[in-house]
Amino acid sequence: MTSSIRENASGNSGNGDAHFLINEVVGVPGGIGAAARRARADALDAWLGSIFPRRDGVALVAVGGLGRRQCAPYGDLDLVLLHAGVPGTDELAASLWYPIWDAGLRLDHSTRTVAEALSVAQDDVKVALGLLDARYLAGDRALADQLIRTAADHWRRTAVRQLPRLREITTARWEAHGELAFLLEGDLKEAAGGLRDVGVLRAIATAGVTDALRPAVHAAHLRLLDTRDALHQQVGRRVDRLVAQERDGVAKLLGLRQLQPGPPDAAQGPAGAVDDRDALLRRVAGDARTVSHALDDAWRAGDRLRTDRRRGAGRPARRPVARDVVEHGGELVLARTAIGARPDPSLSLRIAAAAAVTRLPIARATCEWLAAYCPPLPAPWPPDARAALATLLGAGPGLVPAWETCDRYGLIEGWLPEWTRLRSLPQHNPVHRFTLDRHLVQTAYEASRHTREVDRPDLLLLGALLHDIGKGLPGEGAAGRAGRSEPAGTFVDHSVVGAPIAEAVATRIGLAAPEVALIGKLVRLHLLLPDVATRRDLSDPKTIAGVAEQVGDTTTLDLLHALVRADAVATGPAAWSDWKGRLIAELVARVRTALDTGALPAPPAPDPALVAGPLPVVHLADDRVAVAAADRRGLLATVAGCLALHRLEVISADASTIDGRALVECRVQPRYGLAPDPVALSADLRRAVAGDVSVTQRLRGRALAARGQGAAPRAVWHREAATDAVLLELRAADAAGLLYRVTCALDEAGAQVRAARISTLGGDVVDAFYLVGGWPDDAERARISAAVLAVV
């Protein structure tokens, strides 16, 4: 049909933001909630009725939010000018649409006869859904009622046949927008479990397939609408994605405060009412889960109805798929022999494992029975339960839906009481895309791809599920990662906090003491490999020896390597790159050599092309820049400045001197995704290392603003981290040219840099500089720190 109706199901309106708040146009007070939305709809009804040109055989019909009387503060108008074939409808439409546009409102519109509207609805399921929201506004009521009644009747007759196409469209939207329940910055309308899915549920309920709009779904829908209203008011325009910077304002508009434990001080006592920045996301996640679960049930009801119609009067067969589990009508149910006076405590885990392996859903009645009657697991778990957990975690793509179904009915808490705290817990690091609970399950799924690479795949899967279990607890913070030195009193990293918790879970599951210790080690060290690989000099024997000492054996090394890769992929695209993968693989190979032979691998030899031939030498590759020049101070700073001038970010740098030649080798990546002109870059590098200061003066004259914001920069010293140098670690907001400014400051302060490693975390960087010498004097170290911080 038209964009006004198609947009209701597809989410592809593609128009710009509304110019004005609806309340201002129609003269009603703003507000959040069902009453405010109805007030906006009523005022719009009256205003549109007042500008509607009266003619016989013509009616104005609302669809979309106005049709449902759910007008958002900056929502658009979805209108259909319905006519009975009368002449002059184009002029009539123009006389109606232009006043709406002049008022500054978004408008999706169409002009159709009843027959035209129904014809398109017959071929397009999105149009058919849009017409279910149609509501009379003005003009010929009989004509409007004819469309509304006929469209609903047509949908009821054809819904079962059209549901597969509707499901296909809905699944494509989910793939594009993700799952609202698990996203940190989800789209309230388009993501799975969002407002668009409530429209799908409404259509399924209208068809009589199932009672999809149960009270819990209705309540969740109203809360999601309230959240979108608050988001519109907070941002001041139409927007549906709840981004991080708007959450606090939206929460305040919604009046969200939550009782949570507070410090036992005189001002607050043992507990008090404090603002919880996670309350909004937890509420949205819970509501999205309610909607998603209801839609899952509705799809299955439609599948059963179509299957029953094809089969006729016959009953579906029962097919065994595992012990005590049978498939019945496309769902998993318990075998009759499993429902006895004393059910097996491992029954819920075993049916979950069967669901994950077969990728069949567990019947709702079965889940409800398990939640009510399946006894709790003893401690330690019986072998059947441990085996079922390993099967569930290693099932691959079937893990996530099976786990989510069990979580819906409270079965997960029976296995892991810690899950209550982890459910829907937001992660505030910008590289994360999922809430903590989904991240843990997703990591286990990703780890299942690496089970053939390790000696203990069962421990890899369990370690993946538990690796971040320490997040969100008091005392957990960003400090304390492997290889760092922190002042007393700072927070401890979640890996350290989570290790004893993971060990307690492993003990309860029934693992032997050595396996329990290994699970704790995996959790405690799961950040070791990426931290060292990206922030330390891998050619330094002390780096390799330190990692080998902590890891201890190649079995643990292989488990950590697999866990790191699974964790990164589950975190999101910003957490992994080919460069990072190569560094971690190089670190693993060097540590493996040390563990296998007891000998530390020799540092790599310099590029032969850099140590021979006339100077200067400049070599450019895809991600590598190598320069050789006559030995002089400040060469690293000069090269870094030239690379920054060409919008290249340095992610690692090594400087050395061989036979009077200064060598600088850098790994780089384009800051904005576009590689520079290699001819211009090579020419600038040659001029700069030859002493032409005009190149770096161009950089000094640029205003290079920091991309990140946050706490004040810090300089931290590690005196025992390197063989022939000390390590100065800078933590600051990321900025173009930062490496150039810092290396210039170090050079001017008399510090020689032999290597640098740059690690970016969202808008911040952790840059590690290897300074030649022992630097034992506190005053000298303070002077260097001050010089570095002054240029940041």
Side-chain angles (χ1 to χ4, degrees):
M1 180 144 173
T2 68
S3 61
S4 61
I5 295 178
R6 293 177 61 89
E7 192 268 343
N8 186 58
S10 68
N12 296 322
S13 60
N15 294 326
D17 295 323
H19 295 292
F20 294 110
L21 188 69
I22 286 177
N23 303 71
E24 297 172 356
V25 174
V26 297
V28 298
I32 298 168
R37 290 187 288 272
R38 286 194 298 270
R40 283 189 285 270
D42 291 344
L44 281 169
D45 288 358
W47 182 67
L48 291 169
S50 69
I51 65 173
F52 182 73
R54 307 290 177 176
R55 283 187 57 180
D56 293 337
V58 179
L60 184 62
V61 174
V63 293
L66 181 58
R68 297 185 298 271
R69 303 181 75 219
Q70 294 169 352
C71 295
Y74 283 91
D76 55 0
L77 302 185
D78 298 305
L79 300 176
V80 179
L81 183 61
L82 198 63
H83 65 91
V86 298
T89 52
D90 290 342
E91 294 79 4
L92 180 65
S95 68
L96 177 62
W97 308 148
Y98 277 100
I100 298 172
W101 286 324
D102 291 342
L105 295 176
R106 285 170 49 105
L107 174 63
D108 287 336
H109 62 89
S110 63
T111 304
R112 292 287 186 268
T113 65
V114 172
E116 289 170 343
L118 295 176
S119 175
V120 179
Q122 185 171 353
D123 299 326
D124 192 330
V125 65
K126 294 179 289 185
V127 174
L129 257 65
L131 288 177
L132 296 179
D133 294 327
R135 183 171 64 86
Y136 168 80
L137 290 180
D140 189 335
R141 179 178 287 274
L143 185 64
D145 288 346
Q146 180 187 357
L147 174 66
I148 295 168
R149 181 182 63 256
T150 309
D153 290 343
H154 175 268
W155 171 251
R156 292 187 187 98
R157 291 195 311 271
T158 63
V160 174
R161 186 177 71 250
Q162 297 205 63
L163 282 181
R165 174 56 181 158
L166 176 59
R167 189 172 189 173
E168 179 183 332
I169 295 169
T170 303
T171 301
R173 171 167 53 79
W174 291 347
E175 291 174 352
H177 294 278
E179 297 175 77
L180 182 58
F182 306 113
L183 293 173
L184 299 175
E185 293 189 333
D187 190 305
L188 297 171
K189 187 174 184 180
E190 306 296 349
L195 295 170
R196 185 78 68 188
D197 281 354
V198 179
V200 177
L201 281 170
R202 188 183 306 108
I204 295 175
T206 300
V209 174
T210 183
D211 181 17
L213 294 176
R214 295 185 288 272
V217 176
H218 179 68
H221 181 213
L222 292 179
R223 286 190 294 268
L224 289 172
L225 288 171
D226 289 350
T227 304
R228 185 179 65 171
D229 288 355
L231 181 59
H232 280 204
Q233 291 197 188
Q234 170 69 18
V235 178
R237 59 184 175 88
R238 173 179 171 168
V239 61
D240 295 320
R241 187 166 175 239
L242 183 58
V243 296
Q245 61 264 33
E246 307 298 347
R247 284 201 294 258
D248 287 345
V250 171
K252 289 178 181 178
L253 287 171
L254 293 172
L256 284 182
R257 292 175 67 83
Q258 177 171 308
L259 282 177
Q260 67 175 21
D265 55 30
Q268 186 172 346
V274 295
D275 287 325
D276 183 356
R277 65 175 178 164
D278 295 341
L280 174 60
L281 280 181
R282 284 185 181 271
R283 191 178 90 167
V284 169
D287 292 336
R289 271 186 155 125
T290 298
V291 174
S292 291
H293 295 159
L295 190 49
D296 287 343
D297 289 343
W299 292 134
R300 288 185 345 221
D303 291 342
R304 286 194 300 270
L305 186 57
R306 286 194 304 277
T307 301
D308 291 345
R309 288 186 177 181
R310 288 195 301 267
R311 185 173 52 242
R315 297 183 62 185
R318 295 170 66 90
R319 178 177 63 89
V321 296
R323 182 164 66 93
D324 297 329
V325 183
V326 298
E327 182 264 328
H328 178 74
E331 297 179 324
L332 295 187
V333 300
L334 293 174
R336 296 183 179 94
T337 56
I339 306 175
R342 299 184 62 183
D344 179 3
S346 67
L347 189 57
S348 61
L349 266 167
R350 290 192 287 109
I351 194 170
V357 170
T358 61
R359 301 189 196 179
L360 290 173
I362 307 173
R364 184 170 74 177
T366 300
C367 291
E368 292 172 344
W369 188 93
L370 289 169
Y373 299 111
C374 189
L377 286 161
W381 287 11
D384 282 354
R386 288 197 300 275
L389 178 63
T391 301
L392 171 62
L393 295 178
L399 166 62
V400 173
W403 189 279
E404 177 62 16
T405 297
C406 294
D407 195 18
R408 171 186 179 182
Y409 290 95
L411 302 180
I412 305 295
E413 284 95 339
W415 314 335
L416 300 171
E418 297 83 0
W419 200 254
T420 302
R421 175 178 60 82
L422 304 175
R423 183 185 293 110
S424 302
L425 183 66
Q427 304 188 83
H428 297 285
N429 189 312
V431 301
H432 277 281
R433 57 176 172 167
F434 291 135
T435 55
L436 179 57
D437 55 341
R438 176 57 184 274
H439 171 69
L440 295 176
V441 179
Q442 190 72 26
T443 304
Y445 160 62
E446 299 295 345
S448 68
R449 302 172 185 266
H450 303 289
T451 52
R452 297 183 180 181
E453 305 169 15
V454 298
D455 293 337
R456 291 299 304 269
D458 55 333
L459 299 187
L460 170 62
L461 295 169
L462 183 59
L465 181 68
L466 302 177
H467 75 282
D468 278 348
I469 199 170
K471 284 187 175 180
L473 288 171
E476 180 268 322
R481 284 192 175 184
R484 297 191 188 184
S485 299
E486 294 294 344
T490 56
F491 288 124
V492 181
D493 192 80
H494 68 274
S495 58
V496 178
V497 173
I501 303 172
E503 290 173 350
V505 173
T507 301
R508 189 167 68 242
I509 287 174
L511 298 184
E515 298 169 331
V516 170
L518 184 50
I519 288 294
K521 195 174 188 179
L522 291 180
V523 173
R524 187 170 61 256
L525 298 182
H526 78 270
L527 301 170
L528 175 67
L529 296 182
D531 276 1
V532 172
T534 58
R535 301 177 189 176
R536 296 294 181 264
D537 182 5
L538 302 188
S539 66
D540 191 326
K542 202 162 189 175
T543 300
I544 306 304
V547 174
E549 182 180 1
Q550 293 187 70
V551 172
D553 57 77
T554 55
T555 295
T556 304
L557 180 66
D558 290 336
L559 287 169
L560 286 172
H561 191 200
L563 177 54
V564 162
R565 287 174 285 169
D567 186 17
V569 174
T571 296
W576 193 251
S577 65
D578 291 341
W579 164 79
K580 190 172 184 178
R582 289 196 301 269
L583 284 181
I584 292 175
E586 179 184 348
L587 172 61
V588 169
R590 289 174 175 270
V591 172
R592 186 185 305 281
T593 299
L595 291 171
D596 285 341
T597 67
L600 296 175
D607 186 346
L610 298 179
V611 297
L615 297 176
V617 179
V618 175
H619 284 176
L620 304 180
D622 290 339
D623 64 346
R624 179 175 174 269
V625 174
V627 175
D631 189 17
R632 66 176 178 86
R633 286 181 52 186
L635 183 62
L636 176 57
T638 299
V639 172
C642 193
L643 296 176
L645 190 66
H646 287 264
R647 295 180 171 83
L648 285 174
E649 291 180 331
V650 178
I651 50 184
S652 72
D654 292 286
S656 59
T657 303
I658 299 178
D659 298 331
R661 287 175 174 246
L663 312 181
V664 174
E665 298 182 70
C666 300
R667 294 288 177 179
V668 298
Q669 63 185 12
R671 175 169 281 269
Y672 302 113
L674 297 177
D677 178 2
V679 175
L681 173 59
S682 179
D684 276 353
L685 281 168
R686 292 178 182 277
R687 289 200 304 271
V689 301
D692 186 348
V693 297
S694 66
V695 176
T696 52
Q697 281 178 344
R698 285 153 54 195
L699 180 63
R700 288 180 181 270
R702 277 188 181 178
L704 298 169
R707 293 188 304 185
Q709 301 294 330
R714 294 184 59 206
V716 180
W717 292 80
H718 304 269
R719 296 186 57 201
E720 305 298 329
T723 302
D724 57 353
V726 298
L727 196 66
L728 173 62
E729 199 170 73
L730 172 67
R731 304 171 194 176
D734 190 16
L738 178 62
L739 178 62
Y740 166 69
R741 296 199 301 275
V742 172
T743 50
C744 281
L746 289 170
D747 180 60
E748 292 169 2
Q752 181 182 348
V753 180
R754 75 158 174 81
R757 297 292 180 269
I758 291 83
S759 178
T760 303
L761 300 171
D764 291 339
V765 293
V766 180
D767 293 352
F769 299 92
Y770 284 77
L771 307 184
V772 176
W775 297 91
D777 186 76
D778 292 345
E780 279 295 290
R781 293 199 305 273
R783 182 178 64 84
I784 295 296
S785 296
V788 168
L789 295 175
V791 300
V792 175

